Amino acid sequence: MENIMLPKPHKILRVLKETQAEYTFRVECSDESKHGQFYMLSIPKIGEAPISVSGRGEGYVEFTIRKVGRLTDGMFGLAAGDNLFMRGPYGNSFPVESFEGKPLIVISGGTGMCPVRTTLNYFYDNPEKCPEVRFMAGFKAPDAVLFTEELEKFKDRFNTQYCLDTGEMEGFKSGFVTQCISDVPFADYEDYNVVIVGPPAMMHIAAQECVKCGAAEEKIWVSFERKMSCAVGKCGHCKINETYVCLEGPVFNYTKAKELLD
Amino acid sequence: MKTSEIMTGRKDFYTFLQRLFYKEVDAQLLGALKGMTFSENCGDAEMQKGYDAIAAYLKNSGENSLDELAADFSKVFLGAGSHEGNAAFPYESVYMGEKPLVMQKPWEEVKKIYAQHGLALENVPSEMMEDHISIELQFMAQLDDIDDAKAFLSGHLLCWADRFCADIEKYAETDFYKGAAALLRGFLKMDLALLTELEGQEHAEKAYSVTDAQFDAVIERLSKDYKVYAPRLTGKFGRNGKEIVRFGEIKSVSEIVYDRQSDFSAKEVYYPVMQTMIYFTESESRESELKDDKGIIIIAHPCDINAVRRLDSIFLENGNHGDVYYARLRNKVKFVMLECAESFENCFCVSAGSNVCEDYAMALRLGETNSVLVKDGEFAALFNGCEETEFAPKFVTENKKAVNMPKVEGKDDVKLASGLEYWNSFDEKCISCGGCNTVCPTCACFDTVDVIYDETSVDGERRRVWSSCMLDTFTLTAGGGRARKTAGANMRFKVLHKTYDFKKRFGKENMCVGCGRCTSRCPKDIDFAEVVNGFTEALDTAKEAK
Ligand code: SF4
Ligand code: SF4
Ligand code: FES
């Protein structure tokens, strides 16, 4: 029996400071991973935590980690050249192939941008695959804004709206990101997809707002963030009713997600 | 009749049934059927019903029978002509999968089983999935081993045959296929009884009357190859002033505490509270090793033995991949079933459906005189020299507590059950200590923790430790979010898991085995039987109000 919980060392290629609290770790890895999947990273001296792939390229994957609490603290002693133990990729993914050829609306809150970042870049790099991308990103405050350069870049090909819950910054509206949803002309679209990722309360409000504005529930996709100690259906932490988020998620169609009551 | 003759006879019948469900009746088969004389008193009412219906059809059959049967075959099994596509689709997956579709988990399972047996399934058309009724029947016709045949029959065919046959009867126009359904249903049930009987003969069970001294000698002999565990006193006292009983290694039968429920379950023997999983250095990770190569014998009551199947579902089945750390200990375990002299204070195993247990190597009655029933051939010689006796273990059939398990059916019920006001009452009552989880034989959840040996290096190990869904940190993420925020929400989660959603997921049985330990353990006197009854009542009321 193969030991599915044994992590393997991977070399850190570089560490990039995104904000005061967030760092992106680029790690040597040539696994095939799909949009929205995650890895279990071993945080030195602490333990394991599920972290979504926030970027990838030839021979590497990236993880963007927020420096909060004891759990992720251990990460920040690491530098390029050090080993990071990890296992994965785990979970299902956004059905990006079926997104092709239809308008795509992406709504992210804070670090919720990480799991959708590879999807956004995929459509940025292949503009012919998607007639229209609307990207709405919300952040708590100016110092929490992630991937600044990329946000700027997305402006040329996507319809973008960026928001700040508090504080002011150029190019950002003030208020919650969910306020932008009413601008989406759902009624004009024949077919479309909506991706929502962020804190649970934000996803809930955003999905309800979409539905209120005429979006069909089955066209909405969300990604759950849960405590996970195993990612392989054993530890029980991610379970909601009979659903294991690590096995059947983290991506759920909203028709299913709204049944997953905690 | 010799066992081998019986085996051949039943295998031939499987081949016959296989043909009936494999494809339409052709001229050759019709001719053969017409030439057969069907028994008029085969001894099984259901099968007789089938024989009679088929015989009646054949008697009145005419020129266009072949066409008529072919049309009925397509209607019943392929849904031809039905606007809704209703049919008795002949796939296990359709009946046993999470959704009524082909190629789901049951299909994966049977493929795996076929592969394990390395049996060649001949003449299978490529468009036919491996869990097609005719292929499962064909597989039965090829199995020589009684235990294997029984396992496949009860683990697969019998799980869906009843509903499948009922659908055939519903959709079939001809008596021929209605009869075939009755024949299939009747035969499968009869075969299970037959196999069970053969199994009994094969492993001739013997029972002995054993003195304490003889028993101690047996334990000593066993100890060469096994560690023998049983519930025993610990010298520590619980909050009720009673000495705590826990599973531990024993040397003498006198150590076994058999007349009360142990405070902790047997699971700690094969799924310890704490286990080292991995050793780390800067550049390497290595799986921990088991130091002991002895087998494990656990002497336990039926509830604890039934509980293992639940843990197996999670650790070996869930996610379609086994857990190494669990499997390596679990695979060493053999159980000795310790008969319950009486139902203990908080037990409700009868309501939980786990009072009876068949999976054991030996059964044991302790008291003034001790009796042992030996099932497992490995232990056959162990009691040579002891007096043979008649002994069949008894099971508790009534508890002091009875529990009405909730009837949660469909999404609306789940929503209703989750939203009940009832759960809020636990916000005050339950102090989220998690004690109930630690004593439960079916709680499987764990946390992992990394330990480093000294601050100057990263060398260290990863351990896993039992976790508890009742703790308020259970769903706490690194970012500080908590999915379930109150004691009431945790209670709802636990109760639904124990009495509803585990069964929903694995399809076999509820998680809770009714051992009553959580009730005995709770510092706030929360009685789990009452909690479940209260839930069922609140849910029923809410359903009525709708
Ligand atoms: S929930 Fe309580 S009664 Fe049920 S198996 Fe667990 S400890 Fe025993
Ligand atoms: S033992 Fe009692 S108080 Fe403690 S978590 Fe369980 S139900 Fe709550
Ligand atoms: S993370 Fe352990 S069961 Fe899903």
Side-chain angles (χ1 to χ4, degrees):
Chain A
M1 193 182 280
E2 184 202 340
N3 188 344
I4 43 173
M5 280 190 270
L6 192 69
K8 297 264 153 55
H10 289 257
K11 194 143 270 76
I12 296 177
L13 299 173
R14 69 165 213 213
V15 183
L16 191 75
K17 186 171 174 182
E18 303 280 357
T19 68
Q20 285 303 328
E22 271 115 349
Y23 289 71
T24 295
F25 294 80
R26 178 173 288 188
V27 181
E28 197 170 57
C29 174
S30 38
D31 300 344
E32 295 268 324
S33 67
K34 294 192 230 110
H35 303 282
Q37 286 194 299
F38 65 93
Y39 278 80
M40 289 300 278
L41 300 198
S42 294
I43 319 289
K45 308 180 187 180
I46 306 285
E48 282 187 307
I51 311 282
S52 339
V53 172
S54 66
R56 57 180 187 190
E58 260 315 288
Y60 70 84
V61 285
E62 288 178 343
F63 303 99
T64 303
I65 301 173
R66 199 177 156 72
K67 198 171 174 175
V68 280
R70 213 172 74 87
L71 202 63
T72 44
D73 266 0
M75 283 298 290
F76 297 93
L78 292 176
D82 288 346
N83 274 326
L84 179 63
F85 284 82
M86 60 188 223
R87 56 190 174 94
Y90 291 114
N92 66 349
S93 55
F94 292 111
V96 169
E97 271 167 39
S98 75
F99 292 173
E100 292 181 6
K102 304 161 198 167
L104 175 68
I105 297 102
V106 178
I107 309 163
S108 76
T111 43
M113 193 177 154
C114 301
V116 292
R117 198 172 152 228
T118 63
T119 306
L120 288 166
N121 274 307
Y122 173 74
F123 287 118
Y124 183 86
D125 295 337
N126 300 282
E128 73 290 353
K129 296 219 157 127
C130 194
E132 177 185 353
V133 176
R134 283 175 173 263
F135 175 42
M136 304 160 209
F139 299 94
K140 268 219 169 74
D143 61 3
V145 175
L146 284 169
F147 312 120
T148 330
E149 276 170 35
E150 222 155 41
L151 291 178
E152 210 42 52
K153 173 182 105 174
F154 288 153
K155 284 184 183 167
D156 357 311
R157 296 199 186 151
F158 301 162
N159 174 332
T160 59
Q161 277 173 296
Y162 303 142
C163 303
L164 290 177
D165 299 355
T166 53
E168 278 173 31
M169 197 161 123
E170 202 189 312
F172 286 77
K173 284 197 208 173
S174 44
F176 294 122
V177 62
T178 44
Q179 66 180 335
C180 307
I181 294 171
S182 56
D183 297 346
V184 183
F186 286 111
D188 298 347
Y189 296 146
E190 212 169 285
D191 201 358
Y192 55 88
N193 284 284
V194 184
V195 169
I196 306 173
V197 191
M202 172 264 167
M203 290 199 288
H204 180 72
I205 296 168
Q208 284 192 327
E209 184 64 22
C210 288
V211 173
K212 217 170 83 194
C213 295
E217 289 182 348
E218 67 272 17
K219 301 196 191 297
I220 304 176
W221 304 87
V222 297
S223 176
F224 280 30
E225 197 196 334
R226 304 286 298 196
K227 178 179 167 90
M228 292 185 185
S229 295
C230 75
V232 290
K234 312 294 176 197
C235 78
H237 283 283
C238 69
K239 194 175 103 39
I240 309 177
N241 295 334
E242 78 270 19
T243 301
Y244 285 76
V245 176
C246 65
L247 300 176
E248 281 94 43
V251 174
F252 293 97
N253 187 268
Y254 186 58
T255 51
K256 165 92 181 171
K258 67 169 193 183
E259 309 285 344
L260 296 175
L261 302 170
D262 254 313
Chain B
M1 228 193 283
K2 275 202 303 225
T3 304
S4 62
E5 284 168 26
I6 299 175
M7 286 301 276
T8 315
R10 46 175 289 287
K11 282 159 82 175
D12 288 348
F13 202 82
Y14 272 108
T15 308
F16 168 67
L17 286 174
Q18 180 273 332
R19 174 59 190 88
L20 287 190
F21 294 99
Y22 170 55
K23 58 176 188 189
E24 297 84 349
V25 174
D26 53 19
Q28 193 193 356
L29 177 61
L30 189 65
L33 284 165
K34 283 188 166 176
M36 280 154 79
T37 24
F38 293 108
S39 145
E40 279 166 30
N41 188 4
C42 73
D44 179 271
E46 189 65 34
M47 283 182 74
Q48 194 57 50
K49 197 172 107 190
Y51 280 134
D52 292 349
I54 294 178
Y57 181 86
L58 293 172
K59 209 166 115 206
N60 300 322
S61 64
E63 271 170 34
N64 51 11
S65 291
L66 280 180
D67 290 341
E68 188 180 56
L69 287 175
D72 207 24
F73 187 91
S74 333
K75 175 169 184 289
V76 177
F77 301 113
L78 309 170
S82 156
H83 293 300
E84 297 82 36
N86 286 337
F89 292 109
Y91 292 99
E92 177 173 341
S93 175
V94 172
Y95 286 87
M96 301 303 292
E98 202 176 326
K99 291 191 213 105
L101 296 174
V102 292
M103 295 170 74
Q104 297 189 71
K105 205 151 110 207
W107 170 67
E108 308 268 353
E109 280 171 15
V110 302
K111 278 203 301 186
K112 231 185 266 166
I113 297 174
Y114 299 161
Q116 275 162 10
H117 286 270
L119 290 189
L121 294 164
E122 286 151 21
N123 308 328
V124 176
S126 59
E127 72 278 6
M128 201 180 254
M129 254 65 80
E130 285 81 351
D131 59 342
H132 189 279
I133 183 74
S134 71
I135 303 185
E136 293 198 354
L137 291 167
Q138 186 181 344
F139 182 60
M140 285 300 292
Q142 296 184 24
L143 282 176
D144 289 314
D145 184 87
I146 297 170
D147 294 338
D148 290 345
K150 195 178 158 197
F152 191 76
L153 180 60
S154 53
H156 289 273
L157 274 163
L158 277 173
C159 301
W160 62 290
D162 252 342
R163 283 183 293 142
F164 172 62
C165 292
D167 279 347
I168 300 179
E169 284 160 343
K170 187 157 137 203
Y171 298 116
E173 304 265 330
T174 62
D175 278 345
F176 184 85
Y177 283 111
K178 288 192 206 283
L183 213 52
L184 175 65
R185 182 196 286 126
F187 176 71
L188 292 182
K189 287 189 182 152
M190 201 187 74
D191 194 40
L192 181 69
L194 193 65
L195 287 170
T196 311
E197 205 184 304
L198 292 176
E199 192 183 29
Q201 288 170 9
E202 184 164 277
H203 320 280
E205 295 173 3
K206 272 199 190 147
Y208 306 88
S209 171
V210 189
T211 64
D212 282 2
Q214 286 171 323
F215 215 113
D216 288 353
V218 164
I219 296 177
E220 199 185 323
R221 276 170 61 194
L222 278 174
S223 302
K224 291 196 184 72
D225 301 316
Y226 289 96
K227 289 180 152 184
V228 183
Y229 292 86
R232 46 162 231 179
L233 294 169
T234 56
K236 298 195 180 91
F237 289 81
R239 123 196 116 77
N240 54 11
K242 278 201 212 149
E243 189 169 349
I244 291 174
V245 175
R246 225 172 151 143
F247 282 75
E249 268 191 87
I250 54 155
K251 299 227 148 29
S252 160
V253 64
S254 60
E255 291 178 70
I256 304 175
V257 178
Y258 58 88
D259 55 357
R260 54 174 274 213
Q261 180 65 293
S262 60
D263 294 277
F264 285 77
S265 81
K267 93 178 167 196
E268 63 181 318
V269 178
Y270 54 95
Y271 172 39
V273 189
M274 204 272 293
Q275 261 174 311
T276 295
M277 306 167 80
I278 294 158
Y279 294 100
F280 282 109
T281 65
E282 187 94 43
S283 56
E284 227 178 38
S285 63
R286 183 169 51 81
E287 181 179 317
S288 66
E289 280 154 36
L290 275 188
K291 297 199 180 69
D292 200 315
D293 54 10
K294 279 190 183 178
I296 296 172
I297 287 176
I298 304 178
I299 302 174
H301 292 302
C303 54
D304 274 336
I305 302 177
N306 286 323
V308 187
R309 262 200 321 277
R310 276 77 170 169
L311 291 193
D312 285 353
S313 294
I314 290 179
F315 283 116
L316 302 178
E317 197 182 311
N318 204 29
N320 287 323
H321 206 296
D323 176 302
V324 169
Y325 307 102
Y326 178 80
R328 67 188 190 182
L329 279 172
R330 164 70 179 94
N331 291 339
K332 294 169 162 234
V333 177
K334 292 206 174 194
F335 279 102
V336 176
M337 197 269 287
L338 182 57
E339 192 186 75
C340 299
E342 51 163 347
S343 171
F344 309 125
E345 197 187 346
N346 290 317
C347 304
F348 56 95
C349 55
V350 178
S351 305
S354 58
N355 51 323
V356 178
C357 125
E358 301 289 346
D359 292 334
Y360 52 80
M362 296 184 259
L364 190 60
R365 175 182 294 167
L366 297 181
E368 300 268 298
T369 54
N370 311 315
S371 317
V372 182
L373 174 75
V374 183
K375 260 203 195 178
D376 186 327
E378 186 193 328
F379 303 120
L382 212 50
F383 294 90
N384 282 348
C386 297
E387 183 194 337
E388 276 195 43
T389 180
E390 293 284 312
F391 164 59
K394 288 206 183 68
F395 299 99
V396 160
T397 53
E398 210 180 338
N399 302 122
K400 294 182 189 113
K401 292 192 170 152
V403 168
N404 287 320
M405 292 295 166
K407 282 182 202 62
V408 185
E409 282 146 10
K411 284 184 195 165
D412 289 348
D413 282 6
V414 176
K415 222 182 224 164
L416 216 52
S418 306
L420 292 174
E421 200 42 46
Y422 176 67
W423 304 119
N424 300 344
S425 66
F426 295 99
D427 287 351
E428 292 284 305
K429 263 186 256 170
C430 167
I431 53 167
S432 305
C433 66
C436 46
N437 300 111
T438 47
V439 296
C440 179
T442 65
C443 276
C445 295
F446 61 83
D447 286 313
T448 59
V449 270
D450 284 12
V451 179
I452 47 160
Y453 300 137
D454 71 78
E455 282 297 329
T456 57
S457 81
V458 297
D459 293 5
E461 60 190 70
R462 174 164 303 151
R463 298 176 181 164
R464 79 169 169 206
V465 191
W466 289 352
S467 187
S468 159
C469 62
M470 299 301 276
L471 295 178
D472 54 14
T473 50
F474 188 73
T475 58
L476 185 70
T477 62
R482 250 178 90 186
R484 290 184 294 277
K485 298 186 179 65
T486 60
N490 289 339
M491 183 63 87
R492 185 204 68 217
F493 177 83
K494 181 182 80 173
V495 173
L496 278 168
H497 190 32
K498 296 290 176 198
T499 64
Y500 160 68
D501 62 58
F502 175 87
K503 183 169 181 182
K504 173 96 198 296
R505 186 170 179 95
F506 297 104
K508 290 180 274 201
E509 52 206 358
N510 270 325
M511 192 176 214
C512 173
V513 292
C515 72
R517 291 185 177 100
C518 51
T519 300
S520 314
R521 173 63 188 247
C522 182
K524 303 298 284 180
D525 295 322
I526 296 174
D527 179 324
F528 194 67
E530 280 169 23
V531 173
V532 179
N533 281 334
F535 165 42
T536 302
E537 203 184 302
L539 179 63
D540 288 346
T541 315
K543 279 201 232 175
E544 266 165 44
K546 246 180 49 172

